[in-house]
Amino acid sequence: MFVNSTLLLNNERQVYMESSFSTFLTGPGRYIIIICVAYLLIGLPLTMLYLKKNKAKAKSYLEENPSSAKMMISTRLAFGNLSDALIIIYINNEAPVHFYEKRKLGYFLHPGKNIIEAEASWTRKGLMKTTTTTTGPTKIEVEAEAEKIYTLKYDTEENSFIFEEFIEE
């Protein structure tokens, strides 16, 4: 009697894959699937709702203040002497209205003098330990012209905030 060995191998592979999949579903893989499904059903819609509300808030702020200036935040991506993170706490002692433009974080400023309370932090990696440095909340007084775009960054070598007009690249 002639037995097709390819058919037999495919059948064994199928049985092995089915048992591996059932082991995955009964073991820790079940929790991975539950977390992924929970994120897709709860986390993703909440994130989309937050982004939609934030966009509407920025749009309404711009409608109320059409002459607002924009301030984009610059941080270090890989190398350089800019800070890793720059957080805006207050603008003119009010909670700032932020927006995203071309995947960059930005804030609205009133034309004229603005007082920005910001904090910068950066990490220096060493052989034995990693050191994170922060400036703490710092007040910066800046002058903004109507409908112009500016950048705010922190230079870690100079230990100072730099506010300048944005030049498109």
Side-chain angles (χ1 to χ4, degrees):
M1 178 172 170
F2 177 72
V3 178
N4 189 346
S5 62
T6 310
L7 197 65
L8 188 61
L9 289 175
N10 285 340
N11 193 18
E12 286 176 1
R13 260 191 233 130
Q14 184 177 0
V15 169
Y16 175 74
M17 287 179 67
E18 287 175 1
S19 68
S20 296
F21 187 68
S22 64
T23 303
F24 180 75
L25 289 179
T26 58
R30 170 178 38 185
Y31 300 110
I32 294 171
I33 291 173
I34 289 170
I35 290 170
C36 290
V37 169
Y39 174 73
L40 289 174
L41 293 177
I42 299 168
L44 194 59
L46 287 176
T47 302
M48 298 305 285
L49 181 67
Y50 169 76
L51 291 174
K52 188 175 180 181
K53 283 180 114 180
N54 183 56
K55 194 172 188 178
K57 187 177 179 182
K59 185 179 178 183
S60 70
Y61 181 87
L62 206 51
E63 287 172 356
E64 292 172 14
N65 305 291
S67 63
S68 292
K70 293 180 180 180
M71 177 181 66
M72 307 305 289
I73 301 298
S74 280
T75 55
R76 174 175 59 186
L77 295 175
F79 300 105
N81 57 345
L82 295 180
S83 62
D84 294 329
L86 204 154
I87 300 165
I88 304 300
I89 302 166
Y90 294 112
I91 296 177
N92 298 325
N93 290 324
E94 297 175 356
V97 178
H98 68 277
F99 62 93
Y100 291 94
E101 193 172 284
K102 297 180 184 175
R103 296 190 322 212
K104 288 194 96 168
L105 177 62
Y107 295 90
F108 293 110
L109 298 173
H110 295 294
K113 187 171 86 170
N114 291 275
I115 298 172
I116 301 168
E117 190 171 342
E119 182 175 359
S121 66
W122 61 98
T123 302
R124 184 175 49 94
K125 294 181 174 104
L127 293 174
M128 301 301 279
K129 66 178 183 173
T130 301
T131 306
T132 300
T133 308
T134 184
T135 61
T138 306
K139 291 191 178 190
I140 315 149
E141 190 173 310
V142 299
E143 188 76 29
E145 292 182 33
E147 300 179 19
K148 285 203 171 182
I149 302 173
Y150 298 91
T151 59
L152 181 66
K153 52 191 168 187
Y154 186 83
D155 189 329
T156 57
E157 288 180 358
E158 301 286 323
N159 287 331
S160 63
F161 287 92
I162 300 168
F163 180 79
E164 59 192 10
E165 194 169 339
F166 180 72
I167 301 167
E168 289 201 39
E169 300 167 353

